[in-house]
Amino acid sequence: MTSLSARNETLHELMDDPDCDQTRLRATLKRFGLINPVIAGWRGVYRSKLLPYLTSLGRPARVLDLGCGGGDVTAHLADLAQRDGLSVEWVGVDPEPTAFEVASTRSRENLRFVHADAAGLLAAGERFDAVISNHVMHHLGDDLPEFLALSQQLSSGPVLHSDIARSRRAYALYAIAITPFAPGTFLRTDGLRSIRRSFTARELQELLDQRMPTPWHITTPGAFRVLAEGPGHA
């Protein structure tokens, strides 16, 4: 029986393998556009966190999505901001070539994608009004604090990292619900491994309290979700 009592960092997702099937990887990245609106919960985070802040600036803003994958979350947020009449440049970055390729097909005015990582952006002198990520934290091990610190250095405002919250119920429901969407992709195998690699809210809070020099606030904004919120230092 699969144990979910502790985070399993030894598991590796198939799509993280540089030698994985590229056809299946592209299909997975594209299909995230159907899956993430249901499970990622960014509409609520946008309404409660990003919208009030971006509105308060009273000027055009820049928002960065770190590890944007296929770019669907970045594009979704760009749509929401446009409907609200905000002037925002959305930038999605990912160091994985195929992810960048797929994300780039979503490019349009005020929405662009860059083949880069956080360290590269920082070295290039890039700075943003807010930084976000979706489903990145569970991929990381001991390098999570460094990733969070880099994200803070890139932002002059809020830093919001959203991810899955590990639980038996999340695992069981995902295993059933994802099956119709899984053929030809890594969605089922990698999704279940993602849940097993993910943090609970308590685990994540304790880790960041121990490892981060400035306070981070961990909340559960929706079912099976954790949100790490920290201050920008740019």
Side-chain angles (χ1 to χ4, degrees):
M1 179 179 290
T2 299
S3 175
L4 292 160
S5 59
R7 184 180 183 227
N8 190 334
E9 293 186 52
T10 65
L11 287 173
H12 296 287
E13 296 180 32
L14 299 178
M15 64 186 299
D16 289 339
D17 183 350
D19 297 320
C20 72
D21 184 317
Q22 293 296 298
T23 299
R24 288 168 65 88
L25 176 58
R26 287 185 180 88
T28 301
L29 291 165
K30 291 176 181 177
R31 210 159 295 175
F32 280 146
L34 295 175
I35 306 304
N36 278 329
V38 178
I39 67 173
W42 273 101
R43 183 181 293 271
V45 174
Y46 166 79
R47 293 292 176 201
S48 63
K49 305 290 184 179
L50 281 173
L51 178 59
Y53 171 72
L54 296 174
T55 301
S56 74
L57 293 177
R59 59 167 174 79
R62 302 181 78 212
V63 179
L64 172 67
D65 182 1
L66 280 174
C68 66
D72 58 282
V73 168
T74 330
H76 174 56
L77 292 171
D79 288 340
L80 292 176
Q82 184 175 23
R83 290 171 194 165
D84 288 328
L86 297 177
S87 178
V88 182
E89 179 192 14
W90 297 87
V91 180
V93 302
D94 203 293
E96 204 286 316
T98 304
F100 168 66
E101 172 196 321
V102 172
S104 294
T105 65
R106 300 180 184 273
S107 297
R108 59 179 188 267
E109 186 178 1
N110 293 330
L111 173 61
R112 65 185 179 93
F113 297 93
V114 181
H115 185 208
D117 59 13
L121 291 176
L122 195 62
E126 293 276 14
R127 298 296 184 273
F128 300 85
D129 294 296
V131 172
I132 69 165
S133 78
N134 182 67
H135 294 172
V136 173
M137 290 189 294
H138 74 263
H139 287 272
L140 306 176
D142 291 339
D143 50 350
L144 175 59
E146 180 184 5
F147 170 78
L148 296 180
L150 287 170
S151 70
Q152 289 181 289
Q153 293 175 59
L154 285 163
S155 177
S156 61
V159 181
L160 304 168
H161 297 294
S162 179
D163 212 332
I164 308 158
R166 189 183 75 254
S167 73
R168 293 186 182 279
R169 190 174 175 213
Y171 190 91
L173 290 175
Y174 183 84
I176 296 169
I178 200 62
T179 299
F181 304 96
T185 74
F186 299 130
L187 283 172
R188 192 175 196 280
T189 299
D190 278 5
L192 294 175
R193 290 184 180 186
S194 292
I195 295 170
R196 293 174 67 186
R197 283 188 59 93
S198 295
F199 298 91
T200 64
R202 176 179 291 182
E203 288 171 347
L204 188 56
Q205 186 70 72
E206 290 176 353
L207 174 65
L208 300 192
D209 286 346
Q210 295 168 4
R211 299 287 302 277
M212 299 303 294
T214 54
W216 282 76
H217 183 50
I218 309 302
T219 57
T220 53
F224 318 126
R225 304 299 301 172
V226 290
L227 181 70
E229 184 174 1
H233 294 157

